Amino acid sequence: MIAVGLCGWGDHPRIYKEAAAKNKLSAYAEWFSVVEVDSSFYAVQAPALMQKWADDTPAEFRFVVKAYQGMTGHSRGGGYKPFPDEAAMVQAFLESIAPLRAAGKLLAVLFQYPPWFNCTRPNVELLQAAKAAMGEVPCALEFRHQSWFVPGMREKTLDFIRREGWIHTVCDEPQAGEGSVPIVEAACDERVTLVRLHGRNTDGWRSAGQPNWRDVRYLYRYNELELKDWADRLRRLERLSETVCTLFNNNSGGDAADNALHLMAMLGQTPPRGSFGSKSGSEEPAQQLDLFDLPDTW
C-alpha cells in the first residue's frame, strides 16, 4: 500500500474552508489517510491532545509523529530543557504518544537528525541508545548529513538501520553539500518505509539562519515528470514494504497538497472522501479538479 499525505495539517488552505478552521484535522482526513505531526518536534504534546487527534480521525487514519528536538540533538546548548534529564524527556514523549498507540493509529515516530549529525562512532552509539529507549515503538530514521550515504558507507548504513530495527526514510531534497542526503531508494523494514519529499530548492535549503528561511526553504513545486518518477519509485518500494508512507513537506508556497493529490491521481488513488470533487450527497459546493491543477482526464 502506498499512503500519501502531508507534513502537518494546519497550513494547507486549499483543502478546507474557513468553516472548518476549528477542526482542520477532520477536514484534512477527508483528503488524506496519513499525516506527519510536526508540533511534537517543538514541544512534547499533551496526551489529551493526542487522544483528541485520535478521536477526530477515521479508524484507518495514521500518524507519523516527529520526535522532540531534544531527542535528536537539535537543542545544541539547550540540554533537555524543560526536562531535568534525558530519561524524563523520553518518558514524557512516550506518555504523549500513548493514546495514538492505544488507538492503533501511530505508524511511526520520526527521528530526524540535524545536518551536523555525521557518521561517527559516538553518533552510532547515540542512535543505538535512542532506539533502545523507545522500546517497541516503531521508529523511522532520517539523516541530513551526507556522510551516512557516501560511497562505501551507503550499504553499511542501510545494514545498520535493518539490524537495529529502524525504518528507513527515503528523502528527496536539494543536493546542497554535506548537509543534505541523496535519494536512497531502499527498504529496511518489511512493514513500513517512509518517504519525505522536501522539494529541490537548493538556494532555499542553504538559507538557514536568514530571517525568512522557514518561508523559502521548502518553496518548491514538483512538476509532472518529477512526480511520475516518484510514482515509479513508490511502486518499486511497495514491493519491499507493506506500507510506503509518502509525505510532502514542500509547503512554503502551498504546493504540498496539490502535489500530493496529483501523485495520488497518478497512482490511481482517490481521497478518502471518494473523489477529487464534491462529496456525494453533500451540500458542499463542488470543488473542481483544477483546484488541484490536475489534468481533465483524471
Side-chain angles (χ1 to χ4, degrees), residues 79-292:
Y80 308 115
K81 296 179 181 179
F83 305 100
D85 53 37
E86 183 176 10
M89 173 181 63
V90 173
Q91 182 60 34
F93 186 84
L94 290 172
E95 292 173 2
S96 171
I97 63 174
L100 293 183
R101 294 187 70 196
K105 292 188 174 184
L106 179 69
L107 185 65
V109 171
L110 170 64
F111 280 71
Q112 178 194 295
Y113 283 87
W116 55 85
F117 190 85
N118 58 349
C119 184
T120 64
R121 171 52 57 184
N123 284 342
V124 167
E125 293 172 352
L126 286 175
L127 293 175
Q128 291 173 319
K131 185 65 176 64
M134 296 298 290
E136 298 302 313
V137 176
C139 296
L141 180 57
E142 178 177 341
F143 294 114
R144 285 283 173 91
H145 195 283
Q146 67 177 213
S147 60
W148 297 93
F149 294 118
V150 295
M153 282 305 303
R154 180 184 186 277
E155 293 306 319
K156 291 180 180 178
T157 295
L158 292 174
D159 286 343
F160 169 81
I161 293 172
R162 294 186 185 99
R163 186 172 64 253
E164 297 295 322
W166 290 94
I167 294 165
H168 174 50
T169 303
V170 184
C171 295
D172 187 331
E173 61 194 39
Q175 298 307 288
E178 66 179 15
S180 58
V181 297
I183 296 172
V184 179
E185 186 182 317
C188 295
D189 187 292
E190 293 180 354
R191 296 163 298 174
V192 181
T193 294
L194 195 61
V195 176
R196 299 182 78 227
L197 305 174
H198 301 297
R200 300 175 180 180
N201 183 352
T202 303
D203 290 340
W205 197 257
R206 293 170 173 155
S207 65
Q210 300 300 314
N212 65 335
W213 74 273
R214 292 187 186 278
D215 295 330
V216 301
R217 188 169 204 187
Y218 303 105
L219 185 61
Y220 190 81
R221 189 178 188 88
Y222 287 92
N223 62 36
E224 184 87 5
L225 180 59
E226 290 166 339
L227 290 176
K228 183 181 182 304
D229 287 344
W230 267 109
D232 293 339
R233 286 193 185 99
L234 296 175
R235 292 187 181 102
R236 292 193 295 268
L237 288 168
E238 189 181 18
R239 302 187 194 112
L240 304 174
S241 281
E242 180 180 341
T243 298
V244 181
C245 176
T246 307
L247 300 165
F248 282 84
N249 194 32
N250 57 321
N251 199 50
S252 293
D255 296 307
D258 287 359
N259 276 166
L261 288 162
H262 196 155
L263 177 63
M264 287 171 65
M266 284 183 167
L267 294 168
Q269 299 181 1
T270 55
R273 65 196 281 131
S275 74
F276 292 99
S278 62
K279 291 188 291 185
S280 176
S282 171
E283 297 179 359
E284 176 185 330
Q287 299 186 45
Q288 301 301 317
L289 292 181
D290 59 7
L291 174 65
F292 299 104

